[in-house]
Amino acid sequence: MNKRLTVDLGMLISFLVLLDYRLVRNFGHETLALVFFLLFLLHTWFNRQWYASLTRGRWNTDRKLTFLADLLLLGSFAAVMASGFMISHTLPTGMQKAPLLAHQIHHVAGYVMVIALGFHLGLHWSAILPRLEKGMGFSKIPHRAILYKVLVILLTAGGIYFSFYYSLGSRLLLLRIPNARSIPVTLWTFTFGHLLIMSLYATGAYYVQKFFRQRKRRPART
């Protein structure tokens, strides 16, 4: 497994686990946030050519979609980090009585990141999959195409289910969730459930991108 893939998987796992504040508690949440931030810096360094390429080339639909998804991800991440510094119980930047707005921004931006990470993964999936197949040995699996299609269906169904199970829409809109504390949850189910939610948006982004790419390849009608 190469360094980039290791960093990307580390970011994904640390982010999904730190989301579960009830189980990892404050220390685990802030520690994993620091790990995620350090991995993000490595990820940015490995992909630094993306920033340099922004002023070059044509901005077709595919590129615009990718840029908007990445911008949403960077914006939500910046909001999470800025508000996190304000409400931290560990860092000296934390305020004793942080405004409610800071907590709300941290909460909403965190769940926006779930969606944005899904978009990011989906729009970059055509580049990620070959590395994943090579690094994990998936290229040796027979009938991969059929297996991938079945997996997409399962991921989509699971993502829809857990979106309702964890009331994702209500969390994004800061609405009250009846009996939220009574929802049975373990670290495993929470992490897996939010991975499926992320996969739902990744699948959507991937197929939207695929649609525009196929549309571009079609010959113009005369």
Side-chain angles (χ1 to χ4, degrees):
M1 189 181 298
N2 61 37
K3 293 179 181 179
R4 288 192 178 193
L5 187 57
T6 302
V7 168
D8 292 347
L9 287 175
M11 288 179 67
L12 180 62
I13 294 170
S14 59
F15 176 74
L16 289 170
V17 175
L18 72 84
L19 276 175
D20 194 358
Y21 192 89
R22 285 194 301 180
L23 293 179
V24 299
R25 302 297 181 181
N26 183 76
F27 179 77
H29 181 79
E30 295 196 18
T31 301
L32 287 169
L34 178 60
V35 170
F36 181 85
F37 178 68
L38 294 175
L39 291 174
F40 167 78
L41 294 179
L42 278 175
H43 177 83
T44 302
W45 173 255
F46 288 148
N47 296 279
R48 59 191 180 278
Q49 70 276 5
W50 179 80
Y51 296 94
S53 68
L54 289 176
T55 57
R56 299 195 299 265
R58 293 181 58 190
W59 281 77
N60 54 26
T61 304
D62 190 354
R63 191 175 183 186
K64 289 175 183 176
L65 284 173
T66 304
F67 175 76
L68 289 174
D70 291 345
L71 190 63
L72 178 64
L73 179 56
L74 288 171
S76 57
F77 177 59
V80 165
M81 292 302 297
S83 57
F85 282 123
M86 293 176 64
I87 65 177
S88 173
H89 296 294
T90 306
L91 298 174
T93 56
M95 302 169 63
Q96 285 189 345
K97 292 184 178 180
L100 176 62
L101 181 61
H103 290 274
Q104 292 174 332
I105 290 174
H106 193 74
H107 178 89
V108 173
Y111 280 100
V112 171
M113 274 190 72
V114 174
I115 297 172
L117 273 169
F119 288 157
H120 180 79
L121 288 171
L123 293 172
H124 291 277
W125 190 246
S126 57
I128 295 172
L129 183 58
R131 298 207 311 261
L132 194 62
E133 287 181 333
K134 184 178 179 181
M136 305 294 288
F138 293 161
S139 57
K140 300 177 182 178
I141 299 175
H143 309 295
R144 291 196 313 278
I146 297 175
L147 182 62
Y148 288 160
K149 286 181 173 61
V150 173
L151 190 59
V152 164
I153 294 172
L154 293 176
L155 290 174
T156 302
I160 293 172
Y161 172 79
F162 279 106
S163 293
F164 285 100
Y165 185 82
Y166 287 115
S167 305
L168 183 64
S170 297
R171 295 180 190 278
L172 285 168
L173 297 173
L174 294 174
L175 300 177
R176 182 177 175 274
I177 303 172
N179 304 318
R181 293 187 176 276
S182 65
I183 297 175
V185 62
T186 64
L187 184 60
W188 161 249
T189 56
F190 185 94
T191 303
F192 182 67
H194 283 76
L195 176 62
L196 290 180
I197 293 172
M198 194 181 294
S199 300
L200 171 65
Y201 290 95
T203 301
Y206 172 78
Y207 280 103
V208 167
Q209 182 188 60
K210 187 175 181 180
F211 168 78
F212 282 111
R213 285 181 175 179
Q214 290 177 342
R215 186 181 178 186
K216 182 181 177 181
R217 294 192 192 105
R218 291 174 188 166
R221 293 183 179 179
T222 56

mmCIF file of all heavy atoms in Angstrom, residues 81-112:
data_model
loop_
_atom_site.group_PDB
_atom_site.id
_atom_site.type_symbol
_atom_site.label_atom_id
_atom_site.label_comp_id
_atom_site.label_asym_id
_atom_site.label_seq_id
_atom_site.Cartn_x
_atom_site.Cartn_y
_atom_site.Cartn_z
ATOM 1 N N MET A 81 -12.589 23.514 11.955
ATOM 2 C CA MET A 81 -11.351 23.792 12.675
ATOM 3 C C MET A 81 -11.436 25.110 13.449
ATOM 4 O O MET A 81 -11.040 25.181 14.617
ATOM 5 C CB MET A 81 -10.177 23.833 11.696
ATOM 6 C CG MET A 81 -9.831 22.498 11.063
ATOM 7 S SD MET A 81 -9.427 21.210 12.274
ATOM 8 C CE MET A 81 -7.958 21.904 13.021
ATOM 9 N N ALA A 82 -11.956 26.149 12.802
ATOM 10 C CA ALA A 82 -12.037 27.459 13.455
ATOM 11 C C ALA A 82 -12.941 27.401 14.688
ATOM 12 O O ALA A 82 -12.581 27.888 15.767
ATOM 13 C CB ALA A 82 -12.549 28.501 12.464
ATOM 14 N N SER A 83 -14.105 26.785 14.520
ATOM 15 C CA SER A 83 -15.027 26.671 15.657
ATOM 16 C C SER A 83 -14.483 25.700 16.697
ATOM 17 O O SER A 83 -14.690 25.880 17.905
ATOM 18 C CB SER A 83 -16.407 26.212 15.173
ATOM 19 O OG SER A 83 -16.322 24.983 14.461
ATOM 20 N N GLY A 84 -13.753 24.676 16.237
ATOM 21 C CA GLY A 84 -13.170 23.711 17.167
ATOM 22 C C GLY A 84 -12.151 24.344 18.092
ATOM 23 O O GLY A 84 -12.086 24.020 19.281
ATOM 24 N N PHE A 85 -11.347 25.244 17.555
ATOM 25 C CA PHE A 85 -10.379 25.957 18.391
ATOM 26 C C PHE A 85 -11.093 26.789 19.458
ATOM 27 O O PHE A 85 -10.613 26.929 20.583
ATOM 28 C CB PHE A 85 -9.496 26.865 17.536
ATOM 29 C CG PHE A 85 -8.403 26.137 16.810
ATOM 30 C CD1 PHE A 85 -8.295 26.212 15.432
ATOM 31 C CD2 PHE A 85 -7.478 25.370 17.502
ATOM 32 C CE1 PHE A 85 -7.286 25.533 14.753
ATOM 33 C CE2 PHE A 85 -6.463 24.690 16.843
ATOM 34 C CZ PHE A 85 -6.372 24.773 15.461
ATOM 35 N N MET A 86 -12.258 27.322 19.107
ATOM 36 C CA MET A 86 -13.001 28.169 20.041
ATOM 37 C C MET A 86 -13.639 27.371 21.169
ATOM 38 O O MET A 86 -13.687 27.823 22.315
ATOM 39 C CB MET A 86 -14.081 28.954 19.286
ATOM 40 C CG MET A 86 -13.558 29.988 18.316
ATOM 41 S SD MET A 86 -14.900 30.785 17.392
ATOM 42 C CE MET A 86 -15.783 31.615 18.720
ATOM 43 N N ILE A 87 -14.130 26.173 20.859
ATOM 44 C CA ILE A 87 -14.880 25.403 21.859
ATOM 45 C C ILE A 87 -14.049 24.295 22.499
ATOM 46 O O ILE A 87 -14.565 23.512 23.297
ATOM 47 C CB ILE A 87 -16.153 24.790 21.233
ATOM 48 C CG1 ILE A 87 -15.785 23.752 20.164
ATOM 49 C CG2 ILE A 87 -17.040 25.873 20.635
ATOM 50 C CD1 ILE A 87 -16.989 23.043 19.552
ATOM 51 N N SER A 88 -12.758 24.238 22.159
ATOM 52 C CA SER A 88 -11.896 23.176 22.682
ATOM 53 C C SER A 88 -11.818 23.204 24.207
ATOM 54 O O SER A 88 -11.752 24.268 24.826
ATOM 55 C CB SER A 88 -10.489 23.316 22.091
ATOM 56 O OG SER A 88 -9.605 22.397 22.700
ATOM 57 N N HIS A 89 -11.819 21.997 24.796
ATOM 58 C CA HIS A 89 -11.636 21.863 26.243
ATOM 59 C C HIS A 89 -10.186 21.559 26.595
ATOM 60 O O HIS A 89 -9.841 21.459 27.772
ATOM 61 C CB HIS A 89 -12.520 20.734 26.784
ATOM 62 C CG HIS A 89 -13.983 20.996 26.636
ATOM 63 N ND1 HIS A 89 -14.637 22.005 27.300
ATOM 64 C CD2 HIS A 89 -14.929 20.370 25.874
ATOM 65 C CE1 HIS A 89 -15.923 21.994 26.972
ATOM 66 N NE2 HIS A 89 -16.126 21.012 26.113
ATOM 67 N N THR A 90 -9.359 21.394 25.575
ATOM 68 C CA THR A 90 -7.967 20.998 25.790
ATOM 69 C C THR A 90 -6.984 22.081 25.379
ATOM 70 O O THR A 90 -6.032 22.377 26.106
ATOM 71 C CB THR A 90 -7.657 19.707 25.002
ATOM 72 O OG1 THR A 90 -8.611 18.701 25.351
ATOM 73 C CG2 THR A 90 -6.251 19.211 25.311
ATOM 74 N N LEU A 91 -7.207 22.670 24.220
ATOM 75 C CA LEU A 91 -6.286 23.678 23.698
ATOM 76 C C LEU A 91 -6.453 25.011 24.425
ATOM 77 O O LEU A 91 -7.559 25.343 24.877
ATOM 78 C CB LEU A 91 -6.527 23.876 22.197
ATOM 79 C CG LEU A 91 -6.284 22.651 21.309
ATOM 80 C CD1 LEU A 91 -6.705 22.952 19.878
ATOM 81 C CD2 LEU A 91 -4.819 22.236 21.361
ATOM 82 N N PRO A 92 -5.381 25.778 24.526
ATOM 83 C CA PRO A 92 -5.478 27.090 25.193
ATOM 84 C C PRO A 92 -6.344 28.089 24.430
ATOM 85 O O PRO A 92 -6.733 29.119 24.983
ATOM 86 C CB PRO A 92 -4.018 27.560 25.256
ATOM 87 C CG PRO A 92 -3.307 26.790 24.191
ATOM 88 C CD PRO A 92 -3.997 25.465 24.116
ATOM 89 N N THR A 93 -6.649 27.773 23.178
ATOM 90 C CA THR A 93 -7.492 28.671 22.382
ATOM 91 C C THR A 93 -8.963 28.567 22.764
ATOM 92 O O THR A 93 -9.770 29.415 22.372
ATOM 93 C CB THR A 93 -7.353 28.341 20.883
ATOM 94 O OG1 THR A 93 -7.673 26.954 20.684
ATOM 95 C CG2 THR A 93 -5.944 28.610 20.395
ATOM 96 N N GLY A 94 -9.309 27.509 23.502
ATOM 97 C CA GLY A 94 -10.703 27.294 23.871
ATOM 98 C C GLY A 94 -11.224 28.375 24.806
ATOM 99 O O GLY A 94 -10.527 28.820 25.714
ATOM 100 N N MET A 95 -12.456 28.787 24.566
ATOM 101 C CA MET A 95 -13.087 29.818 25.389
ATOM 102 C C MET A 95 -13.882 29.155 26.509
ATOM 103 O O MET A 95 -14.510 28.115 26.304
ATOM 104 C CB MET A 95 -14.010 30.679 24.523
ATOM 105 C CG MET A 95 -13.300 31.348 23.350
ATOM 106 S SD MET A 95 -14.450 32.103 22.155
ATOM 107 C CE MET A 95 -15.221 33.357 23.181
ATOM 108 N N GLN A 96 -13.839 29.761 27.689
ATOM 109 C CA GLN A 96 -14.584 29.193 28.818
ATOM 110 C C GLN A 96 -16.082 29.166 28.539
ATOM 111 O O GLN A 96 -16.769 28.205 28.876
ATOM 112 C CB GLN A 96 -14.303 30.005 30.091
ATOM 113 C CG GLN A 96 -12.933 29.742 30.689
ATOM 114 C CD GLN A 96 -12.780 30.390 32.048
ATOM 115 O OE1 GLN A 96 -13.568 31.253 32.444
ATOM 116 N NE2 GLN A 96 -11.756 29.980 32.777
ATOM 117 N N LYS A 97 -16.570 30.214 27.935
ATOM 118 C CA LYS A 97 -17.984 30.277 27.571
ATOM 119 C C LYS A 97 -18.086 30.613 26.088
ATOM 120 O O LYS A 97 -18.380 31.746 25.706
ATOM 121 C CB LYS A 97 -18.711 31.321 28.414
ATOM 122 C CG LYS A 97 -18.824 30.949 29.889
ATOM 123 C CD LYS A 97 -19.649 31.972 30.654
ATOM 124 C CE LYS A 97 -19.793 31.571 32.124
ATOM 125 N NZ LYS A 97 -20.600 32.568 32.885
ATOM 126 N N ALA A 98 -17.821 29.610 25.281
ATOM 127 C CA ALA A 98 -17.889 29.811 23.831
ATOM 128 C C ALA A 98 -19.330 30.078 23.424
ATOM 129 O O ALA A 98 -20.264 29.487 23.987
ATOM 130 C CB ALA A 98 -17.361 28.581 23.107
ATOM 131 N N PRO A 99 -19.556 30.974 22.477
ATOM 132 C CA PRO A 99 -20.929 31.273 22.045
ATOM 133 C C PRO A 99 -21.610 30.047 21.447
ATOM 134 O O PRO A 99 -20.953 29.181 20.864
ATOM 135 C CB PRO A 99 -20.734 32.379 21.002
ATOM 136 C CG PRO A 99 -19.317 32.255 20.552
ATOM 137 C CD PRO A 99 -18.555 31.752 21.733
ATOM 138 N N LEU A 100 -22.913 30.001 21.605
ATOM 139 C CA LEU A 100 -23.690 28.883 21.070
ATOM 140 C C LEU A 100 -23.477 28.739 19.569
ATOM 141 O O LEU A 100 -23.442 27.620 19.042
ATOM 142 C CB LEU A 100 -25.176 29.101 21.369
ATOM 143 C CG LEU A 100 -26.148 28.059 20.799
ATOM 144 C CD1 LEU A 100 -25.864 26.680 21.371
ATOM 145 C CD2 LEU A 100 -27.596 28.475 21.083
ATOM 146 N N LEU A 101 -23.308 29.864 18.888
ATOM 147 C CA LEU A 101 -23.114 29.836 17.441
ATOM 148 C C LEU A 101 -21.887 29.011 17.057
ATOM 149 O O LEU A 101 -21.903 28.296 16.048
ATOM 150 C CB LEU A 101 -22.973 31.264 16.901
ATOM 151 C CG LEU A 101 -22.782 31.399 15.380
ATOM 152 C CD1 LEU A 101 -23.981 30.820 14.635
ATOM 153 C CD2 LEU A 101 -22.554 32.860 14.997
ATOM 154 N N ALA A 102 -20.829 29.095 17.858
ATOM 155 C CA ALA A 102 -19.610 28.328 17.564
ATOM 156 C C ALA A 102 -19.892 26.831 17.641
ATOM 157 O O ALA A 102 -19.420 26.054 16.800
ATOM 158 C CB ALA A 102 -18.504 28.709 18.541
ATOM 159 N N HIS A 103 -20.670 26.414 18.644
ATOM 160 C CA HIS A 103 -21.046 25.003 18.767
ATOM 161 C C HIS A 103 -21.917 24.571 17.589
ATOM 162 O O HIS A 103 -21.757 23.463 17.057
ATOM 163 C CB HIS A 103 -21.796 24.773 20.083
ATOM 164 C CG HIS A 103 -20.938 24.885 21.298
ATOM 165 N ND1 HIS A 103 -20.199 23.829 21.793
ATOM 166 C CD2 HIS A 103 -20.692 25.939 22.116
ATOM 167 C CE1 HIS A 103 -19.541 24.212 22.871
ATOM 168 N NE2 HIS A 103 -19.817 25.489 23.094
ATOM 169 N N GLN A 104 -22.835 25.436 17.189
ATOM 170 C CA GLN A 104 -23.726 25.109 16.076
ATOM 171 C C GLN A 104 -22.958 24.991 14.759
ATOM 172 O O GLN A 104 -23.202 24.071 13.970
ATOM 173 C CB GLN A 104 -24.821 26.173 15.963
ATOM 174 C CG GLN A 104 -25.806 26.155 17.122
ATOM 175 C CD GLN A 104 -26.797 27.302 17.058
ATOM 176 O OE1 GLN A 104 -26.505 28.368 16.507
ATOM 177 N NE2 GLN A 104 -27.985 27.098 17.613
ATOM 178 N N ILE A 105 -22.031 25.920 14.541
ATOM 179 C CA ILE A 105 -21.214 25.861 13.324
ATOM 180 C C ILE A 105 -20.388 24.582 13.303
ATOM 181 O O ILE A 105 -20.290 23.900 12.275
ATOM 182 C CB ILE A 105 -20.300 27.102 13.231
ATOM 183 C CG1 ILE A 105 -21.128 28.351 12.934
ATOM 184 C CG2 ILE A 105 -19.226 26.907 12.151
ATOM 185 C CD1 ILE A 105 -20.332 29.641 12.977
ATOM 186 N N HIS A 106 -19.804 24.239 14.440
ATOM 187 C CA HIS A 106 -18.983 23.031 14.534
ATOM 188 C C HIS A 106 -19.820 21.789 14.228
ATOM 189 O O HIS A 106 -19.374 20.887 13.509
ATOM 190 C CB HIS A 106 -18.387 22.936 15.938
ATOM 191 C CG HIS A 106 -17.289 21.929 16.063
ATOM 192 N ND1 HIS A 106 -16.032 22.135 15.546
ATOM 193 C CD2 HIS A 106 -17.256 20.694 16.641
ATOM 194 C CE1 HIS A 106 -15.263 21.087 15.800
ATOM 195 N NE2 HIS A 106 -15.989 20.187 16.460
ATOM 196 N N HIS A 107 -21.014 21.768 14.756
ATOM 197 C CA HIS A 107 -21.910 20.621 14.573
ATOM 198 C C HIS A 107 -22.337 20.488 13.110
ATOM 199 O O HIS A 107 -22.201 19.415 12.504
ATOM 200 C CB HIS A 107 -23.135 20.799 15.472
ATOM 201 C CG HIS A 107 -24.148 19.715 15.342
ATOM 202 N ND1 HIS A 107 -24.117 18.560 16.094
ATOM 203 C CD2 HIS A 107 -25.235 19.594 14.531
ATOM 204 C CE1 HIS A 107 -25.123 17.780 15.757
ATOM 205 N NE2 HIS A 107 -25.825 18.385 14.815
ATOM 206 N N VAL A 108 -22.847 21.571 12.549
ATOM 207 C CA VAL A 108 -23.363 21.528 11.175
ATOM 208 C C VAL A 108 -22.231 21.304 10.173
ATOM 209 O O VAL A 108 -22.343 20.470 9.263
ATOM 210 C CB VAL A 108 -24.126 22.828 10.843
ATOM 211 C CG1 VAL A 108 -24.503 22.858 9.358
ATOM 212 C CG2 VAL A 108 -25.373 22.948 11.699
ATOM 213 N N ALA A 109 -21.134 22.031 10.341
ATOM 214 C CA ALA A 109 -20.014 21.901 9.401
ATOM 215 C C ALA A 109 -19.435 20.491 9.416
ATOM 216 O O ALA A 109 -18.977 19.987 8.385
ATOM 217 C CB ALA A 109 -18.927 22.919 9.733
ATOM 218 N N GLY A 110 -19.474 19.840 10.577
ATOM 219 C CA GLY A 110 -18.985 18.465 10.656
ATOM 220 C C GLY A 110 -19.801 17.523 9.790
ATOM 221 O O GLY A 110 -19.251 16.660 9.095
ATOM 222 N N TYR A 111 -21.119 17.707 9.807
ATOM 223 C CA TYR A 111 -21.969 16.840 8.985
ATOM 224 C C TYR A 111 -21.940 17.250 7.513
ATOM 225 O O TYR A 111 -22.126 16.405 6.634
ATOM 226 C CB TYR A 111 -23.395 16.833 9.535
ATOM 227 C CG TYR A 111 -23.519 15.912 10.725
ATOM 228 C CD1 TYR A 111 -23.503 16.414 12.024
ATOM 229 C CD2 TYR A 111 -23.603 14.536 10.553
ATOM 230 C CE1 TYR A 111 -23.580 15.564 13.121
ATOM 231 C CE2 TYR A 111 -23.679 13.680 11.639
ATOM 232 C CZ TYR A 111 -23.669 14.197 12.919
ATOM 233 O OH TYR A 111 -23.726 13.341 13.989
ATOM 234 N N VAL A 112 -21.704 18.531 7.258
ATOM 235 C CA VAL A 112 -21.493 18.948 5.865
ATOM 236 C C VAL A 112 -20.234 18.277 5.322
ATOM 237 O O VAL A 112 -20.179 17.875 4.154
ATOM 238 C CB VAL A 112 -21.377 20.484 5.757
ATOM 239 C CG1 VAL A 112 -20.935 20.898 4.350
ATOM 240 C CG2 VAL A 112 -22.708 21.144 6.089
#
